Every structure is written in structure tokens, then in C-alpha cells.
Amino acid sequence: MSVSSAPLRVAVGGFGAIGFALAKALDDGIDGLALAAVSARDKKKAADKMEGFRAPVPVVDLEALAELADIVVECAPSTVFRSIGEPALKAGRIFVPLSVGQLLVHDDLKDIAIAHGGRIVVPTGALIGLDAVRAAAEGNIESVTMVTRKPPRGLMGAPYLEQNNISLEGLNEAKLIFDGSARDGAKGFPANVNVAAALSLAGIGPDRTRLQIWADPAVTRNTHRIEVEADSARFAMSIENVPSEENPKTGKITALSAIACLRGLVAPMRVGT
Ligand SMILES: NC(=O)C1=CN([C@@H]2O[C@H](COP(=O)(O)OP(=O)(O)OC[C@H]3O[C@@H](n4cnc5c(N)ncnc54)[C@H](O)[C@@H]3O)[C@@H](O)[C@H]2O)C=CC1
Ligand SMILES: O=C([O-])CC(=O)C(=O)O
């Protein structure tokens, strides 16, 4: 869009740790973007949370977001992912998912985007280095490995732990709880390793991207380290995320990444791959 055209309208599906921070930033003002609507499980609570906003917006059902916006951001529990993404793409919108692991489950959404002129734009989220991974993927990548370490309380409730009878109660040393593909990791830990799904989509896919998850009582931050071996470069990067106050499973940087991603959709200059 040109700098002088009307701002793109943004709808935010989910009004928790990520959604509220994103909506607040939009309400505070980002050139070229305007908050248009939000969605939350509890509409009254969401309306109350918007009391300090300069311009509160309607709180609507998930399915209605697409009618009200050019860009629909998904930052809700993974269970309602499709209710946000499918209408958005069928309406030809830009769909920005944060529950990225669900893209591996609902892999037909890409075809829906193609059929209706929509786009799926995945923010880097709580990770680092997807610019380099995408660049390397234009050549040949031999291997991508990610190692995640989280405080045990940030992993509790994950379906994989329940299915495999793994208890994290009273853990006093680091425990390897998952070692496998990004695809299986994203399925088993839908609220924990969306970053692994994003990494796999940027690089060599969910079956070849290797993931280890450690429950580590010694860490206070959600830590992700990635290692890439490619014919263009070898690189390793790590990030230590401060958990957000509202949802300790979610690193604070995630909402900021979504804000930077949206800014990149409209800014006259964009830096990075
Ligand atoms: N891509 C990435 O790097 C990261 C992704 N995530 C993922 O992003 C998603 C959002 O994370 P958070 O903001 O921390 O979650 P949160 O739990 O803080 O917020 C979720 C929001 O969704 C709302 N919600 C629940 N059911 C709803 C429904 N039926 N209709 C409308 N709204 C509904 C809740 O009211 C809540 O406001 C999660 O799936 C999380 O796993 C989290 C961290 C990093
Ligand atoms: O915030 C983080 O460190 C990563 C996370 O929860 C996710 O990828 O779902």
C-alpha cells in the first residue's frame, strides 16, 4: 500500500497475552494500521479490558473477524485456530497465525488461500533467525535442530505428557521429555513449541526438522537454541524469552514480533528477509 492510502484494518482473534498487547499497540497508533475488532471467550471482560483504549472496538465472534478487517491475527488457543483462519482466507484476507503448529494440522489452508487470493504471513514469534533459515533454504540445508528448555510449570498440561504418563512434579534436574520431529513436537505440545513449527516451515519442513524439549527447573526463561547446517552457512542462535505476566507459557517477545510483522506489511521500508 502507499503511505497515503487508508490504513489496513486489523482484527485480533484472542485477547490474552499476545492479543491484548497487540491490540493496545494498534490503539496507541501504528502508521498504516487500524484496530478494527477483537474476539475473546468472555466478551464483557474483553470490553472492560479496552476501557483505557483511545478507540475501543467491537468484540465479536471469531467467525466475524474476517468481515471487519483486511488482516486477521490469530492469537487464541489452538482449538479455535480454524474458526479464525478459514473465514479469513476465504474472504481473501491476510491471515497472521500465532498458533503456528496448527498450520501443520490444517495444511489445506494454503490451498484455500490460493483459491481465494488470501495470504498466510507467519511472524517469527518467540524465535530467532527465521530470516537466515529462509535465506539458507534458497540453497541447500542439510539439517535443522532446535533445543527448547522451559521451566516445568510452562510445560504442564501438554497432551504429550499426559499420553506418555510423564510427570514434571518435583523435578530437581533437567529432563529430556521429547526428542523427535517438529511435526510430532507441535502436535504433542500445542501451547509450547509453535516456534518449532515456524522454524520447520521456514526451512526443511516439519518431518526433517529435529526438536528436543527439556523441562528444566534451573531456567526461568523459555529458551530456544537452533542449529543449522547448510551449503551457504553454518549457524547457531539462541534466545531466552522472558515469560509474559498474563501467560507464562508465552514469551513476551511474541507480541512484539507480531507488531513488527504487521508494521512490515505496511511500512515504506522493511529490513530483513
Ligand atoms: N508463534 C509463537 O512464537 C508463539 C505462539 N504462541 C501461541 O499463541 C496463542 C495465543 O497465546 P497467548 O496470547 O499467550 O494465549 P492466552 O491464553 O493468553 O490468550 C488466549 C485468548 O484467546 C481467547 N479465547 C479462548 N477461546 C476463545 C474463543 N472460543 N473465542 C474467542 N476467543 C477465545 C481467550 O479469552 C484469551 O483471551 C497460543 O496458541 C500460543 O500457544 C505462544 C507463544 C509463542
Ligand atoms: O514463548 C515461547 O517461548 C514459545 C512458545 O510458547 C511457543 O512456541 O508456543
Side-chain angles (χ1 to χ4, degrees):
M1 67 161 250
S2 79
V3 185
S4 57
S5 56
L8 292 189
R9 298 163 302 156
V10 182
V12 178
F15 208 43
I18 301 170
F20 180 77
L22 173 59
K24 177 82 178 70
L26 290 164
D27 182 68
D28 286 344
I30 297 179
D31 276 350
L33 297 170
L35 182 66
V38 302
S39 191
R41 195 176 359 223
D42 183 336
K43 288 187 180 155
K44 161 88 175 68
K45 205 167 132 200
D48 290 348
K49 270 170 97 175
M50 269 190 292
E51 246 169 29
F53 277 29
R54 291 192 304 192
V57 296
V59 187
V60 302
D61 291 335
L62 294 173
E63 294 77 7
L65 295 169
E67 294 158 25
L68 300 169
D70 306 295
I71 302 171
V72 178
V73 184
E74 177 279 331
C75 36
S78 56
T79 44
V80 298
F81 178 84
R82 196 168 183 106
S83 310
I84 304 175
E86 187 172 349
L89 292 169
K90 283 194 165 157
R93 308 304 191 207
I94 298 174
F95 174 50
V96 179
L98 272 303
S99 305
V100 188
Q102 295 306 304
L103 281 179
L104 306 183
V105 179
H106 303 277
D107 55 3
D108 61 314
L109 288 183
K110 207 162 134 188
D111 296 328
I112 295 179
I114 293 166
H116 297 272
R119 287 183 72 208
I120 304 171
V121 176
V122 179
T124 302
L127 199 56
I128 191 171
L130 297 193
D131 50 352
V133 177
R134 276 178 52 210
E138 295 292 342
N140 285 313
I141 298 181
E142 274 155 44
S143 64
V144 179
T145 307
M146 176 169 149
V147 179
T148 287
R149 284 176 187 272
K150 288 201 171 194
R153 76 179 176 123
L155 290 160
M156 283 175 186
Y160 183 89
L161 298 179
E162 276 158 30
Q163 282 151 17
N164 292 282
N165 287 321
I166 300 171
S167 167
L168 302 181
E169 293 296 339
L171 206 63
N172 50 24
E173 61 179 19
K175 180 173 178 168
L176 177 63
I177 54 171
F178 177 85
D179 190 353
S181 69
R183 184 187 296 284
D184 291 341
K187 203 185 294 164
F189 297 84
N192 294 108
V193 288
N194 290 290
V195 283
L199 174 66
S200 74
L201 293 168
I204 53 176
D207 298 312
R208 287 181 63 209
T209 303
R210 184 160 170 235
L211 171 67
Q212 278 191 357
I213 304 174
W214 292 76
D216 189 344
V219 299
T220 52
R221 298 185 172 198
N222 299 334
T223 304
H224 310 289
R225 178 179 168 84
I226 66 174
E227 287 179 16
V228 176
E229 188 67 52
D231 62 354
S232 57
R234 169 186 302 146
F235 49 90
M237 289 181 263
S238 66
I239 185 164
E240 295 175 19
N241 291 325
V242 177
S244 51
E245 282 103 42
E246 189 157 347
N247 180 0
K249 287 190 173 73
T250 294
K252 251 185 180 173
I253 201 167
T254 316
L256 302 181
S257 172
I259 295 166
C261 172
L262 295 191
R263 207 187 278 279
L265 292 173
V266 292
M269 179 170 84
R270 197 177 123 175
V271 180
T273 306

